[in-house]
Amino acid sequence: GTVQQKVKGGLIVDVGVPAFVPASHVDLRHRGNLEHLVGKIIPVKIIETERKREKVIASHRRATEEDRRARAAEIWKEIEKDKIMEGVVRRITDFGAFIDLGGVDGLLHVSEMAWTRVENPGDVVRKGQKLQVLVLDVDEERKRVALGLKQLQSDPWKKASKNYTSGQMVSAKITHLAKSCAFAELEEGIEGIIPISEMSEERINTPEDVLSVGQVVEARIRQVQPNQRRITLSLRAAVREKEQRETRSA
């Protein structure tokens, strides 16, 4: 029916006769501002009638819930592992984002958003954004769908063994400091780890004693383990290498 007007406590909708839709029975997505629904056609379900008083009460919420359940049932038939699907970002949390696949929400975990470390999911996706995702796992019984985004992008680690070798000198940007190590970005998608024992010739208590996030450092690659997605770096070795070069040139 067409929404004729907003009244105290809800809406009047023309369904052949005027029907009252209480505000509590307006779909949650539209409940915040009822005025913008005036003039629009919305689905409603008749929940009460009193013919003598010519009274009709309807529910927009129930109608949309039934529609969502019907669409969800159809979508569950389409969702399968390793399938690429299009969805819309509905909600962003600290641990990822919920993607509407057309009536079924799937979780895009922060660890599956990019090959690089993602501190804030909002830096990668935004609410209302359309994007293609890969179905990683499906549990219809528990109504859970795990999604991936980085799997649709090239994996930089596939070329790591060719681009990086033990003993190589590299420049890296410190991205994260932990209790006993630091992480440094060699290129987009490739991070190396610097153990605290490889940070300085002197004994230090925490990585913060010698490093800070955003700092660019010179390091020497100790070990490359592409299968484990791990590159170990040494600042100590880089300093010794630099000193040896300066001695030879002198």
Side-chain angles (χ1 to χ4, degrees):
T2 302
V3 180
Q4 293 181 316
Q5 60 179 312
K6 175 186 177 298
V7 295
K8 184 178 180 180
L11 300 169
I12 299 297
V13 180
D14 181 8
V15 293
V17 295
F20 175 64
V21 178
S24 61
H25 276 270
V26 175
D27 183 63
L28 281 172
R29 297 184 183 184
H30 303 296
R31 198 176 294 175
N33 181 10
L34 301 184
E35 289 284 358
H36 81 286
L37 289 175
V38 175
K40 295 185 177 180
I41 296 175
I42 64 172
V44 295
K45 179 170 182 157
I46 307 301
I47 57 176
E48 185 180 338
T49 59
E50 291 185 34
R51 295 186 182 278
K52 291 183 179 180
R53 297 174 58 188
E54 297 185 347
K55 179 182 178 182
V56 178
I57 298 178
S59 173
H60 175 228
R61 173 170 52 82
R62 290 191 188 179
T64 54
E65 285 173 351
E66 289 187 6
D67 179 59
R68 286 194 194 104
R69 283 195 293 270
R71 285 189 291 117
E74 290 301 313
I75 285 294
W76 277 114
K77 297 177 183 178
E78 299 179 17
I79 299 175
E80 56 187 47
K81 188 176 179 179
D82 297 328
K83 182 176 182 179
I84 297 175
M85 301 187 71
E86 185 173 88
V88 178
V89 179
R90 291 300 182 200
R91 187 161 60 94
I92 299 175
T93 69
D94 292 339
F95 55 84
F98 288 94
I99 313 298
D100 183 358
L101 300 175
V104 172
D105 282 352
L107 173 62
L108 175 60
H109 195 269
V110 63
S111 62
E112 303 296 345
M113 288 186 169
W115 294 111
T116 54
R117 182 187 304 274
V118 177
E119 299 290 347
N120 179 14
D123 293 337
V124 180
V125 298
R126 65 183 185 278
K127 189 175 180 180
Q129 178 184 359
K130 288 185 178 181
L131 73 169
Q132 288 192 323
V133 289
L134 180 71
V135 178
L136 301 179
D137 195 26
V138 182
D139 188 341
E140 188 171 355
E141 185 176 336
R142 299 171 67 187
K143 303 300 180 186
R144 293 183 179 179
V145 181
L147 304 172
L149 182 61
K150 69 182 184 183
Q151 290 79 4
L152 302 182
Q153 305 162 358
S154 60
D155 182 358
W157 280 96
K158 291 182 178 179
K159 298 181 179 179
S161 59
K162 295 181 179 179
N163 295 340
Y164 302 101
T165 58
S166 178
Q168 181 180 349
M169 295 291 291
V170 293
S171 292
K173 183 178 181 180
I174 304 299
T175 57
H176 182 70
L177 299 177
K179 186 176 180 180
S180 60
C181 67
F183 295 89
E185 185 182 58
L186 302 176
E187 63 175 86
E188 186 174 355
I190 299 286
E191 276 189 334
I193 184 171
I194 309 171
I196 193 169
S197 61
E198 295 293 339
M199 291 180 186
S200 174
E201 294 287 359
E202 300 177 1
R203 182 179 179 85
I204 60 174
N205 296 318
T206 66
E208 286 88 349
D209 291 342
V210 293
L211 296 173
S212 60
V213 173
Q215 180 182 353
V216 177
V217 297
E218 292 294 318
R220 187 172 188 175
I221 296 177
R222 282 290 194 190
Q223 189 177 30
V224 180
Q225 299 168 284
N227 293 337
Q228 297 180 38
R229 309 177 75 82
R230 183 185 178 97
I231 294 178
T232 305
L233 304 173
S234 173
L235 302 185
R236 292 174 56 196
V239 170
R240 288 197 296 268
E241 174 76 17
K242 183 178 179 181
E243 290 175 347
Q244 290 172 3
R245 286 200 307 265
E246 290 176 348
T247 300
R248 288 195 297 267
S249 63

